Amino acid sequence: MKRFVWSCGVLATVALLLPARAATAQGVSSAAVAGRVTDEAGAPVPSAALTLVNGSTGQRYAARTREDGRYSFENTDVGGPYTLAVHALGFEPRTSTPFNLQLGQRFTLDLSLKRAAVELAGVIVETSSNPLLSTARTG
C-alpha cells in the first residue's frame, strides 16, 4: 500500500511539473515598432500609409495610422537596418533614418510631416440613358 501511495505522489508531482517546464520554453522571437504621426502643429495625421522595410532582407510591412495618428507593427523580424516611409495626402512624404531592432524590443518612432500643396487631376463624368429602361414603367 505504501508503494502505491508513493508512486501516486511521484506521478502527481511529475504531472504538475511538466506543464511548467513546457511554459518556460515559450519565448519572444520578434520585435515591434510603434509611434505617432503628426503635422507641424502636433495634430494627428489619420490614415497615413506607412511602409516598414528591412534593408538586409527586403521584407516589407504595411500599415495605416489610426484616427489619433498612432500606428504599430507587431511581430517584425529582428535585425535591420529598417527604414519607415510615411505618405499622406496633403503632406510631403518622409522616410526615417535607418534603425535596428533587437529581440523583444518595442521601438518607438514618432514622425512629424510637413504640409504640402496638392493638385488633383480633374474628373470627367459622362452618362447615357437606355431607351429600354423607363422610370415611369416599373413592376
Side-chain angles (χ1 to χ4, degrees), residues 40 97 101 132:
E40 304 102 345
T97 57
L101 296 176
L132 298 176

Side-chain angles (χ1 to χ4, degrees), residues 20-104:
R21 179 170 161 77
T24 60
Q26 305 298 319
V28 176
S29 62
S30 61
V33 179
R36 189 167 184 231
V37 178
T38 58
D39 63 5
E40 304 102 345
V45 179
S47 300
L50 297 119
T51 306
L52 182 66
V53 179
N54 186 336
S56 62
T57 63
Q59 176 72 36
R60 294 178 176 269
Y61 302 91
R64 288 208 174 263
T65 56
R66 296 183 282 276
E67 290 299 317
D68 61 354
R70 296 193 183 278
Y71 69 90
S72 64
F73 293 95
E74 304 295 332
N75 298 322
T76 58
D77 294 335
V78 296
Y82 279 96
T83 55
L84 180 64
V86 183
H87 301 279
L89 187 62
F91 296 92
E92 292 180 2
R94 175 137 186 238
T95 302
S96 71
T97 57
F99 58 91
N100 290 320
L101 296 176
Q102 297 177 358
L103 189 63

Side-chain angles (χ1 to χ4, degrees), residues 11 75 114:
L11 285 175
N75 298 322
K114 292 182 181 178

